Amino acid sequence: RAETRTEILQAGIALTEDRPNGLTYAAAGVDIDAGEALVEAIKPLAKSTKRPGADASLGGFGALFDLKAAGFTDPLIVTTTDGVGTKLKIAVETGRHDTVGIDLVAMCVNDLLAQGAEPLMFLDYYATGKLEVEVARRVVAGIAEGCRQAGAALVGGETAEMPGMYGSGDYDLAGFCVGAVERDAVLPPLDTQRAGDVLIGLASSGPHSNGYSLIRRIVERSGLAWTDAAPFAPGETLAEALMKPTRIYVRSLMPLIKAGLIKAAAHITGGGLIENPPRVLRHDLVARFDWSAWPLPPTF
């Protein structure tokens, strides 16, 4: 009969214990049992993101996607990758791990929208010095929620426990998203852009996942604690106000994109309104902003 993984592992442990040094993965700081417990805990989370084209089941060496089942006829594949940045330091310091997964998904899928692509599949990379199963589960639960908002299937990922690489309690995240767009619907169609086209801005939920090295320095200089009342957000602590998850724009934009009503879309991230819009405009056009057209959010 085929031996189970547990039986193989136990036999291997017995062999190592007979050796003079007796070293094991556990002795080196890698908890295999914790890794397996995490996989079992997140399987139903991934399954909840099932969509046409992907069943979102974990365990294989790779993930498959059926583009025909998703309704595509002549698609181009679009890929993006991103992270959450030092917003994770606030999550670690305050124990607020439930929404950074939404941030991770948002930063990737919003980039897809700028190409006119529909999010299809998402994968995550979670790296830490010591795996805390419940913390990681909460992070992945946020990733699954972000995937549901974006309509993408969470099809896999990697959890890396690397003793000595990170400080106590620290972890880092990276996300990878695959989308698709019909060949004749790729954004931006530069030849259709004209002077006088209307520029519309969709509101953010806050700083999203940008500028947190500066934000953390400002908070440090202010002398405020994360549990203190936010001076700009009545009824919220500083952590609650600054940890609002990045807005996912898929539901707002995909119907308009598919209807052919959008000539360009720019995801406003680190470069702000100065650097990002020019990336999607024809070389002889410039975006003109009416800076008085919207109230500045109190956070800023």
Side-chain angles (χ1 to χ4, degrees), residues 128-210:
T128 186
K130 179 175 176 55
L131 181 59
E132 298 178 42
V133 174
E134 179 56 19
V135 170
R137 188 203 64 78
R138 289 168 62 188
V139 171
V140 176
I143 293 173
E145 170 59 23
C147 286
R148 288 191 294 269
Q149 291 183 26
L154 178 57
V155 296
E158 169 70 7
T159 302
E161 187 174 29
M162 299 182 286
M165 286 288 290
Y166 297 89
S168 177
D170 286 346
Y171 59 87
D172 198 10
L173 298 174
F176 313 89
C177 198
V178 177
V181 57
E182 295 292 356
R183 189 178 303 271
D184 60 359
V186 176
L187 291 182
L190 298 178
D191 59 337
T192 69
Q193 296 179 358
R194 299 287 184 270
D197 284 346
V198 177
L199 183 65
I200 299 173
L202 299 184
S204 72
S205 57
H208 283 183
S209 299
N210 305 293

Side-chain angles (χ1 to χ4, degrees), residues 51 65 67 76-80 108-109 112 117-123 152-153 155 176-180:
R51 57 152 293 154
F65 193 93
L67 288 165
L76 296 175
I77 296 298
V78 186
T79 61
T80 59
C108 294
V109 301
L112 284 181
E118 176 184 346
L120 303 178
M121 297 190 293
F122 192 86
L123 299 98
V155 296
F176 313 89
C177 198
V178 177

Side-chain angles (χ1 to χ4, degrees), residues 244-268:
K244 284 185 171 62
T246 304
R247 180 178 172 184
I248 292 174
Y249 295 95
V250 174
R251 293 174 184 171
S252 299
L253 286 184
M254 276 313 303
L256 301 176
I257 292 173
K258 289 185 175 182
L261 299 176
I262 293 180
K263 296 183 178 182
H267 184 199
I268 309 305

Side-chain angles (χ1 to χ4, degrees), residues 96 205-207 212 230 232-233 236-245 299:
R96 302 179 68 88
S205 57
Y212 274 83
F232 52 85
E236 294 183 325
T237 66
L238 199 56
E240 290 170 340
L242 291 176
M243 287 298 289
K244 284 185 171 62
T299 305

